[in-house]
Amino acid sequence: MGAQAAGPLVVGVDSSTQSTKALVVDAVTGAVIARGQAPHTVSGGAGKESDPRQWWQALGEALAQCGDAARQASAVSVGGQQHGLVTLDAAGAPVRPAMLWNDVRPAPQSERLIAERGGAAAWADRVGSVPGPAFTAAKWAWLKANEPASAAATAAVRLPHDYLTERLTGEAVTDRGDASGTGWWASSTGSYDAEILAHIGLDPGLLPRVALPGEAAGTVHAGHLPLPKGALVAAGTGDNMAAALGLGLRPGRPVLSLGTSGTVYAVSTHRPADPTGTVAGFADARGDWLPLACTLNCTLAVDRVAALLGRDRESVEDGGEVVMLPFLDGERTPNLPGASGLVHGLRHDTTGGQLLQAAYDGAVFTLLQALDRVLDADAAPDAPLLLIGGGARGRAWRETVRRLSGRPVVVPEARELVALGAAAQAAGLLLEEDPAAVARRWGTARGAEYEARPRDEAAWERLTATLADGAPLLRR
């Protein structure tokens, strides 16, 4: 148990790729009263899959670790990894393991969908995003093509957070934030797109209803979890939308998140529609928008390079002109699903520390390239970058971001921002307040501040040239 509570308690859940975290939070002060965490497994090989029942089991374990505090909660909300395809049979059991966001097998279906429905610009205009291999629509098309029996046995299609919300409440509910990452929810209309669903052969009756911002999904009805029956359950949202809530983001404030994947995003009052497909035009959890760009290769890729070199992840060295594009898992931004890592400019005097620094540079470069597309034209060019995710604690990550961005950097003290954002959503529902305003009252974005440094233009130019010149290799 942490601090004593001044107000009612709420639970925020972060169901991510690797684990489920639960926080019990004081709805008034934001003090974390208790926390718990339990792991998931993800399949290796070509596919990235998990059994959704693991997430439910991990949620129970994480809540149990919170002790009595969880049993006193008045409201709960689930933030979950985006894009995952959860297929359930008529009894509500998984037909097959969930295909996760970082499963790039649907790349051919993605390309075909984009071509068959008018091209990238038409998709961006209608849906808000161009459906890359991560998007759920491409995953459903892959399933229909490769496992028709699984598709035929499917009686319900859910996103990861929807699956947990439904098991909590018995209600099939999603929210506009997470729904905007499917490819079949159109930002132009704020609803499911009947023509796209017909095109991919998905019956709209298999989908959950989309709750309005601030609307409850239901109440806790699952008796065997350590939560009080009847506690309010918010609609929940995708992990990036939850993190934006957790930071209490106002429009124009850029966020760079360093985790398994890297993301850059900002809240906007303008509906995004990037015809290049670099920026996903997501909705946020409040009624605004969350233009976002995501890379597949971030902390895990750099850690892998460090392991190959036999070096600690912080053992970087300046100097040299070696360039690395650490696209170890294929890449989403830029859209190179078949790419592998590329190294250019190795010399006899290149050191292991310089090669490791090049891996950091390559991972950060792809994120910062997308940042200009994410931000509105009227956003301040010198606004501090909020640096979050596991990598934000690393000096090498932070200094690479400072050197390549030329912006001041703030590293919030709050660590579990997805779970905190879910807790803010639950508190907003309970207290009938704007959840972002709740998070601002909690002071979640406060943290260490680092001044801007001049941008390393030489490194930026080397990376830009290597990405352009290496394109034929990266597209193989």
Side-chain angles (χ1 to χ4, degrees):
M1 292 280 279
Q4 288 296 306
L9 300 182
V10 294
V11 172
V13 176
D14 171 10
S15 183
S16 70
T17 318
Q18 308 285 342
S19 68
T20 292
K21 298 174 189 165
L23 297 183
V24 183
V25 179
D26 184 320
V28 172
T29 65
V32 176
I33 306 301
R35 49 170 50 86
Q37 181 171 356
H40 313 152
T41 55
V42 179
S43 67
K48 296 286 189 284
E49 301 182 344
S50 285
D51 184 340
R53 287 170 292 204
Q54 277 193 90
W55 308 335
W56 180 247
Q57 185 179 345
L59 175 59
E61 290 173 18
L63 287 168
Q65 290 168 28
C66 294
D68 285 342
R71 295 183 183 87
Q72 296 165 26
S74 301
V76 60
S77 175
V78 178
Q81 53 178 316
Q82 288 185 246
H83 302 307
L85 175 66
V86 180
T87 50
L88 306 175
D89 64 19
V95 170
R96 66 179 311 288
M99 293 177 71
L100 304 186
W101 62 274
N102 52 350
D103 192 326
V104 295
R105 287 177 295 175
Q109 285 74 26
S110 162
E111 289 180 12
R112 196 156 60 245
L113 274 181
I114 294 164
E116 288 170 352
R117 300 294 307 172
W123 274 92
D125 185 56
R126 183 171 185 147
V127 173
S129 301
V130 181
F135 276 65
T136 327
K139 290 180 165 50
W140 176 256
W142 183 93
L143 194 69
K144 293 271 286 188
N146 292 276
E147 298 182 15
S150 294
T154 298
V157 169
R158 301 290 182 261
L159 295 166
H161 110 259
D162 309 340
Y163 172 78
L164 293 171
T165 300
E166 186 167 7
R167 290 202 65 172
L168 279 169
T169 62
E171 303 289 339
V173 178
T174 190
D175 88 302
R176 68 193 287 275
D178 215 359
S180 66
T182 58
W184 58 62
W185 184 91
S187 67
S188 58
T189 61
S191 59
Y192 292 134
D193 191 303
E195 286 181 28
I196 289 170
L197 288 169
H199 187 78
I200 61 173
L202 179 56
D203 177 355
L206 273 55
L207 299 176
R209 78 176 179 89
V210 182
L212 297 170
E215 190 181 350
T219 58
V220 174
H221 86 137
H224 61 284
L225 280 189
L227 287 170
K229 267 195 162 184
L232 279 172
V233 180
T237 194
D239 52 3
N240 290 298
M241 297 80 196
L245 274 187
L247 288 164
L249 276 194
R250 297 183 191 275
R253 186 77 191 271
V255 176
L256 198 153
S257 176
L258 303 167
T260 306
S261 64
T263 52
V264 284
Y265 56 86
V267 170
S268 175
T269 55
H270 310 290
R271 184 177 81 90
D274 176 13
T276 72
T278 301
V279 175
F282 294 143
D284 77 350
R286 289 179 59 257
D288 286 328
W289 303 96
L290 196 74
L292 177 146
C294 176
T295 64
L296 294 182
N297 297 278
C298 197
T299 57
L300 288 186
V302 172
D303 283 353
R304 181 64 187 137
V305 173
L308 286 170
L309 294 169
R311 299 182 78 90
D312 179 87
R313 63 169 66 123
E314 294 288 341
S315 299
V316 294
E317 294 170 20
D318 294 336
E321 296 190 349
V322 66
V323 175
M324 185 186 300
L325 300 173
F327 300 161
L328 309 191
D329 279 327
E331 191 43 85
R332 168 172 167 172
T333 305
N335 186 23
L336 298 163
S340 56
L342 186 149
V343 179
H344 176 67
L346 270 181
R347 299 288 187 189
H348 280 287
D349 60 356
T350 303
T351 68
Q354 289 169 346
L355 195 56
L356 180 56
Q357 180 60 63
Y360 278 98
D361 284 8
V364 169
F365 166 73
T366 49
L367 282 168
L368 291 176
Q369 261 204 325
L371 181 64
D372 289 339
R373 291 185 180 275
V374 163
L375 287 169
D376 292 335
D378 57 357
D382 57 351
L385 264 176
L386 283 167
L387 196 61
I388 65 169
R393 308 286 151 191
R395 184 179 183 279
W397 280 111
R398 184 183 71 237
E399 293 308 311
T400 304
V401 170
R402 289 178 72 201
R403 185 170 54 81
L404 290 180
S405 71
R407 285 176 180 262
V409 167
V410 176
V411 181
E413 284 167 28
R415 300 199 175 202
E416 294 130 326
L417 285 162
V418 174
L420 274 174
Q425 190 186 49
L429 179 66
L430 184 66
L431 304 174
E432 299 183 343
E433 287 186 52
D434 172 3
V438 169
R440 288 195 289 272
R441 186 174 72 232
W442 292 352
T444 49
R446 284 196 298 264
E449 300 179 14
Y450 302 90
E451 293 178 357
R453 291 175 53 178
R455 191 164 86 162
D456 185 343
E457 298 292 353
W460 189 271
E461 286 168 16
R462 285 195 298 272
L463 283 154
T464 303
T466 304
L467 181 59
D469 295 346
L473 283 172
L474 293 166
R475 292 189 189 284
R476 270 186 193 167

